[in-house]
Amino acid sequence: MNNKQADKSPISLDYRDRNVVISGGSSGIGLGIARHLAALGARISIIGRNQDKLSAALSTIYEIAPDAAGYSADVRDAPRITECLTEIRRTRGEIDVVIAAAAGNFFVPAEKMSPNAFKTVIEIDLIGTFNVFSAALPLLRREDAALLAITAPQAQRPMANQAHACSAKAGIDMLVKCLAMEWGTHGVRVNAVSPGPIAGTEGLARLSATPEIERFVRDATALRKFGDVEDIARSVAFLCSPMARYVTGTVLDCDGGMRHGNFVPMQ
Ligand code: NAP
Ligand code: COA
């Protein structure tokens, strides 16, 4: 492709005619992404385990995108994920964008973490992300296709009581780089967004058991505030659009500067 041809791709965040699948799209950050991309014109399919959660989420997406659809599946069940994505491809067209946002987490000291507790989080976060991306690959439109994982600051910074999530998310950061290397020749970009603490989400609630911890986490960001799901959705919309057509294998911190934040109280 020469530069003249490349310049035909739209310089905008227009998602009309873009077929988008979001695992973990039935609540929190995944749902925020679904609603934001729907508002930009995308055809949205969300995946989650719980049918009631899917229905409740869809009722909020229908206001924006009446053709949204939900699929009940566990990302640990690779054959079922392949079945869902194949059905989406068959009924809703070639897939342009796949976002892997499903995760499980809980706060537990490593000495009290059972092998199955560790394995469960690795299976949902890391293996689940691989299951979703590898099932999607043969079903993608091989032009401007984008895969995006939701990782976390735990991938880069060790956190107490988070050995499972730190290990899983670190694996996701490396997986994204490896798949970007291998799948670039297929015209597929693979990136990740790393959210900081996001207000009103299950993830933050599980890690901020007391007001003191909540304050500590907020003050660990450079901006001294929590983000919201819309902040994450905007970063995702950019990375999965042709605006980022030369960006692959990267992790974008959308964390209020948490990575560089000050853990010592300011005067
Ligand atoms: P959440 O509201 O609990 O959302 C999790 C989503 O994943 C739900 O749709 C859930 O639906 C689905 N899910 C969970 N396990 C699944 C499985 N085994 N198979 C299929 N779907 C599954 O969580 P959140 O706080 O918004 O977090 C979303 C993502 O952001 C996660 O990757 C998390 O690690 C990341 N993150 C969050 C924060 C934060 O502050 N919240 C910060 C950094 C990173 P079902 O339960 O129905 O399956
Ligand atoms: N502390 C210690 N161990 C825990 C735990 C906790 N709070 N919660 C679960 N576990 C252990 C269980 O005891 C079990 O281990 P065992 O068999 O040795 O007893 C193992 O983890 C699996 O638990 P189970 O409840 O069977 O897993 P599940 O597949 O039904 O659910 C979870 C997965 C545990 C991650 C559940 O919390 C979940 O579905 N979370 C999704 C929502 C979420 O976490 N959102 C935040 C995203 S950042």
Side-chain angles (χ1 to χ4, degrees):
M1 181 161 62
N2 64 36
N3 281 344
K4 213 167 171 192
Q5 284 168 320
D7 284 343
K8 283 184 193 152
S9 62
I11 303 174
S12 76
L13 294 179
D14 187 352
Y15 273 76
R16 280 173 298 178
D17 293 328
R18 303 277 278 167
N19 193 8
V20 175
V21 182
I22 306 166
S23 70
S26 62
S27 65
I29 289 172
L31 177 55
I33 295 167
R35 286 173 51 84
H36 184 85
L37 297 186
L40 293 173
R43 198 174 320 128
I44 298 288
S45 302
I46 58 172
I47 297 175
R49 291 165 302 176
N50 183 295
Q51 186 58 55
D52 291 341
K53 259 171 90 171
L54 280 170
S55 302
L58 282 172
S59 69
T60 78
I61 305 172
Y62 287 150
E63 299 160 7
I64 317 164
D67 63 348
Y71 298 82
S72 174
D74 190 318
V75 292
R76 291 169 285 190
D77 182 349
R80 173 68 188 137
I81 290 298
T82 298
E83 203 174 85
C84 289
L85 287 164
T86 305
E87 180 66 6
I88 292 167
R89 166 71 184 81
R90 191 182 66 76
T91 55
R92 297 166 71 76
E94 281 182 308
I95 298 171
D96 298 289
V97 174
V98 177
I99 295 150
N105 198 4
F106 43 85
F107 215 57
V108 60
E111 74 218 44
K112 297 209 170 109
M113 190 182 290
S114 72
N116 192 40
F118 186 84
K119 179 171 166 237
T120 296
V121 171
I122 299 288
E123 279 185 343
I124 300 172
D125 294 23
L126 176 56
I127 300 175
T129 297
F130 181 77
N131 289 344
V132 170
F133 286 173
S134 61
L137 183 68
L139 307 169
L140 294 172
R141 193 195 311 274
R142 298 296 175 92
E143 195 183 311
D144 292 333
L147 305 180
L148 184 132
I150 300 296
T151 180
Q154 286 95 318
Q156 303 293 331
R157 170 176 252 161
M159 282 187 200
N161 309 308
Q162 288 284 276
H164 48 5
C166 291
S167 306
K169 295 294 193 182
I172 289 176
D173 283 15
M174 184 51 77
L175 177 67
V176 158
K177 295 177 205 302
C178 293
L179 298 184
M181 288 290 293
E182 292 199 33
W183 294 353
T185 54
H186 296 309
V188 179
R189 296 184 297 108
V190 191
N191 291 298
V193 165
S194 178
I198 302 303
T201 60
E202 184 64 26
L204 183 58
R206 287 184 181 217
L207 298 190
S208 304
T210 65
E212 288 72 32
I213 299 177
E214 196 171 299
R215 210 163 31 246
F216 178 84
V217 172
R218 190 198 59 215
D219 290 347
T221 68
L223 295 178
R224 304 293 191 275
K225 62 180 184 186
F226 295 136
D228 59 38
V229 296
E230 178 68 12
D231 293 322
I232 305 307
R234 290 180 187 198
S235 292
V236 170
F238 164 70
L239 273 177
C240 293
S241 78
M243 292 282 279
R245 69 188 182 193
Y246 203 51
V247 182
T248 194
T250 199
V251 176
L252 175 63
D253 294 318
C254 181
D255 64 352
M258 188 182 219
R259 184 200 272 265
H260 312 292
N262 192 349
F263 279 89
V264 178
M266 303 273 274
Q267 293 303 313

